[in-house]
Amino acid sequence: MSELMRGEGSPDTLGLLLAAERSRRLLLLRMLDDSIDLGPAWELLSRAQRHAPQVVEDLMMYPQTGMWLATALRRLRGTAQGDEPPLWVVLGHVRSLAAAAGLRAGLDFTLDDVPVRHGRVPLPTLGCAVLPVTEPWATATVRSEGGSAVVERGAAAVPLLGPPGPRWHPVRRLTVGPEDRRLSITLDDADPYRTYPRPTEPRPLSDEAAAHWRGLLERAWAVLLDEQPATADAMRCGLLSLTPTVARERFRPRSVTSGDAFGGIEASEPDDALQLAVTLVHEFQHTKLGSLLHLAPLLTDDTGPASPEAWYAPWRDDPRPLEGLLQGIYAFAGITRFWREHRKAASGPNRLAHFEFALWRVHLTRAMRQIRRHPRLTPLGTALLDTLREHGARWLTEPVPEEWLTLARLCADDHAARWRAHHRRPTAPAVDTAVRAWLEGASEPPRASVSGSPLVPDASARWLDSLAVLVRYRLSGTDDDRIALDGPEKTAARVTGALTGDALLAMGDPEAARTAYLTDLAADPGPAGAWAGLGSALTRAGTDPGAARLLRGRPELARAVHRALTDATGTAPDPVRLAAWLGPLES
């Protein structure tokens, strides 16, 4: 337990978690069997268990099996979202599972009513067959006899388990690393329950795409073996499948795990092997914590008001519930540790690693500070958070070159300010009081304007990490010169959600960034990002400290008062002058 509290975990600890997950899966299967008649599928699974128990063990522990079991039970109880595929297709997946068990065990059998999903028949851990079926949901028969196997529907028959072809797409198994430290993982593009939290239909990879993923995984695994050997040893036990999805914008990968699918990771195609290594660490943290939560709670049940608490998570655009924030804290403790080790292992100056370590340790500290001693934390939850806080405090004392440290702090403050500008709303009395005082020519705002800004989630909040992404372009090495040559407008256009001022700030020109943000606000004072960005530019330039402090700490107040004054007078006040006037409220 102490290893997991530190965000770590040896192979022995992972073995205990796997044993617990096995018990949970068997319990879920028993619950499903009690709810519906599994019929011939149960009989075939039982035969396979007697003939080749390890085959059934592997299938039961496959991440997608856990996801399917949880999904089926939720659908039966009416607690799952959505109504596709039909319930009979979800429940019929047990026949796909049984057919895969029979095939892998080498049994002779005939199993009817195996689901066909948009013409594809997925067989867990094996692959998927393609039938000439036009309707979205249908059934087929899987037949195995004398060492040959087919899936049939009407006159159509597709041979199974042979080489890949237009009608049969086998699942690929990737094995990387030296013989004594190999990672063996399924590259799953076929199982409908490989994506979280909702199933999706099979999308087989091309040979070229699969080879690309293999190369990325080989290089990522080499990084982990070299720099995170203890984590890599644990991953060999606890990473079971990787689901590839399409690439996203650079420096903005997407990855997902589910507590129902221990050992499974869904990840977008990474920018490079280093990003994939970070993703594996990130999602492996979620895997461990999700399994721990099946054994012991970190939080008591929420018995508070109907409107639940939500918190600032520096790695998200949206406010997060306490449970989600804890998951993020645990995951990003692993990411912070990764960058800490990577900057030590890298040969020569590694600007990006210094920046990432400095950024994530600040983000992590701020996230944990919010919920210290929260009344919902169980003793175990308190101990886990305290342990991670101790690590975070030590990491904050480690030296980072001043230039990258300053950039990291700027990006951390900028993200927090953008989040506030979107999701906090000053009360109407506070805004009205400030407006009256401004119009009356008061030298400073009355203290009544300092009342809190309640949380009002803004669904339009997106891309709050734009400044950090632009800094990553600058520090990554390959694009540094090109960014400078492109100019701020073209540079900003490469990053969704970025403003010209963001690009200028990332390039190290805060005075020009200030001018760009003010130009944006003159054209449209509504967007929250320009208000927070203006505060970042003033901070970096070292000018107008009162305005900078207010725009970092309470940008939502400047934004709301500016809007109210414009509505009242028909003339927009100067944003910097207004923020400086409001500045004493943030002192």
Side-chain angles (χ1 to χ4, degrees):
M1 185 67 75
S2 60
E3 292 175 353
L4 294 175
M5 304 283 271
R6 297 192 301 269
E8 300 167 359
S10 66
D12 288 343
T13 299
L14 266 292
L16 294 174
L17 293 180
L18 278 165
E21 287 299 312
R22 180 181 184 277
S23 297
R24 181 174 183 270
R25 299 275 175 88
L26 293 175
L27 177 61
L28 293 178
L29 186 61
R30 176 60 184 270
M31 293 169 64
L32 186 62
D33 186 41
D34 288 344
S35 301
I36 61 173
D37 180 12
L38 299 181
W42 184 262
E43 295 171 9
L44 182 53
L45 280 169
S46 299
R47 283 180 60 201
Q49 170 70 27
R50 292 191 297 270
H51 186 77
Q54 190 58 49
V55 164
V56 177
E57 180 78 7
D58 290 346
L59 278 164
M60 287 305 303
M61 291 309 299
Y62 195 54
Q64 281 61 289
T65 300
M67 196 69 202
W68 163 68
L69 282 167
T71 301
L73 287 167
R74 291 186 185 113
R75 287 291 298 271
L76 282 170
R77 296 174 179 177
T79 58
Q81 295 182 349
D83 56 1
E84 283 199 355
L87 180 59
W88 68 264
V89 174
V90 175
L91 300 180
H93 187 73
V94 70
R95 293 175 176 265
S96 303
L97 196 70
L103 291 169
R104 289 183 56 183
L107 301 178
D108 289 348
F109 67 89
T110 298
L111 189 62
D112 298 323
D113 297 327
V114 176
V116 182
R117 310 170 67 107
H118 296 271
R120 293 187 171 96
V121 183
L123 297 170
T125 73
L126 293 176
C128 72
V130 181
L131 288 169
V133 175
T134 57
E135 59 263 49
W137 318 110
T139 62
T141 296
V142 176
R143 194 184 315 278
S144 175
E145 185 175 1
S148 64
V150 295
V151 57
E152 304 169 337
R153 177 174 170 81
V158 176
L160 302 175
L161 308 185
R167 296 294 184 184
W168 170 244
H169 300 282
V171 166
R172 297 171 177 90
R173 189 82 180 168
L174 304 184
T175 301
V176 297
E179 184 175 355
D180 59 338
R181 305 187 70 189
R182 284 180 177 168
L183 174 69
S184 185
I185 191 168
T186 300
L187 189 67
D188 198 334
D189 54 3
D191 196 300
Y193 296 95
R194 72 196 185 282
T195 53
Y196 319 126
R198 294 180 181 86
T200 55
E201 301 316 310
R203 293 188 180 90
L205 292 173
S206 67
D207 290 340
E208 293 78 11
H212 179 60
W213 273 95
R214 179 185 293 277
L216 287 168
L217 185 61
E218 287 175 343
R219 296 190 294 277
W221 188 241
V223 170
L224 292 171
L225 286 178
D226 183 48
E227 300 175 12
Q228 306 266 314
T231 297
D233 282 344
M235 284 181 177
R236 293 176 63 208
C237 305
L239 287 188
L240 305 175
S241 77
L242 175 62
T243 295
T245 59
V246 296
R248 287 164 55 93
E249 187 173 322
R250 190 173 180 199
F251 298 117
R252 283 173 168 163
R254 176 187 180 272
S255 57
V256 189
T257 53
S258 169
D260 295 321
F262 181 94
I265 294 176
E266 177 190 352
S268 60
E269 180 184 327
D271 300 339
D272 51 34
L274 183 63
Q275 188 179 87
L276 180 57
V278 175
T279 294
L280 294 178
V281 169
H282 178 180
E283 298 303 339
F284 190 53
Q285 291 289 99
H286 283 307
T287 292
K288 290 184 293 185
L289 187 62
S291 185
L292 176 61
L293 290 172
H294 290 158
L295 300 173
L298 300 180
L299 299 169
T300 60
D301 291 338
D302 187 0
T303 56
S307 179
E309 292 179 303
W311 303 86
Y312 170 56
W315 36 84
R316 296 278 300 218
D317 293 334
D318 56 335
R320 298 294 289 157
L322 186 57
E323 292 82 355
L325 182 61
L326 268 179
Q327 279 279 357
I329 286 170
Y330 198 79
F332 281 89
I335 286 179
T336 307
R337 182 182 291 110
F338 174 91
W339 287 112
R340 176 178 181 263
E341 298 304 317
H342 184 67
R343 74 192 191 114
K344 294 190 297 185
S347 59
N350 194 334
R351 303 174 301 174
L352 184 63
H354 288 307
F355 168 78
E356 296 288 6
F357 172 63
L359 176 68
W360 291 115
R361 69 181 184 179
V362 172
H363 279 333
L364 186 65
T365 299
R366 288 180 174 174
M368 292 190 290
R369 187 183 298 139
Q370 295 178 96
I371 58 172
R372 187 184 184 192
R373 308 304 176 201
H374 191 283
R376 284 188 59 204
L377 287 166
T378 65
L380 179 62
T382 298
L384 182 143
L385 197 61
D386 285 348
T387 301
L388 295 180
R389 285 183 65 254
E390 290 171 6
H391 281 277
R394 288 198 295 271
W395 292 338
L396 284 172
T397 66
E398 297 186 16
V400 173
E402 187 62 33
E403 184 175 0
W404 321 131
L405 179 64
T406 300
L407 269 178
R409 288 173 175 165
L410 181 72
C411 289
D413 290 344
D414 184 81
H415 189 280
R418 291 179 195 233
W419 189 92
R420 279 199 66 104
H422 275 284
H423 299 299
R424 293 288 181 182
R425 294 288 183 275
T427 62
V431 173
D432 291 345
T433 300
V435 167
R436 285 196 302 271
W438 174 276
L439 294 175
E440 291 168 0
S443 60
E444 63 178 45
R447 300 307 296 177
S449 298
V450 80
S451 64
S453 298
L455 181 72
V456 182
D458 178 5
S460 72
R462 293 287 189 278
W463 321 116
L464 307 188
D465 63 344
S466 294
L467 180 60
V469 170
L470 286 161
V471 168
R472 290 182 178 109
Y473 269 105
R474 174 185 166 187
L475 301 184
S476 63
T478 57
D479 289 291
D480 195 11
D481 294 336
R482 193 167 72 193
I483 283 181
L485 293 172
D486 277 350
E489 292 83 5
K490 288 186 178 180
T491 297
R494 298 166 65 185
V495 176
T496 304
L499 302 171
T500 300
D502 300 337
L504 288 162
L505 197 55
M507 292 162 60
D509 194 345
E511 292 290 354
R514 166 184 170 147
T515 300
Y517 288 127
L518 288 173
T519 299
D520 287 340
L521 289 173
D524 181 2
W531 286 98
L534 178 60
S536 297
L538 297 177
T539 299
R540 190 69 192 268
T543 59
D544 302 287
R549 186 169 56 248
L550 188 283
L551 290 173
R552 286 200 316 272
R554 297 196 68 193
E556 75 280 2
L557 180 60
R559 184 187 183 207
V561 173
H562 186 277
R563 181 187 298 115
L565 283 169
T566 303
D567 290 344
T569 66
T571 302
D574 176 75
V576 176
R577 179 168 170 256
L578 176 62
W581 181 76
L582 292 167
L585 299 178
E586 189 59 21
S587 58

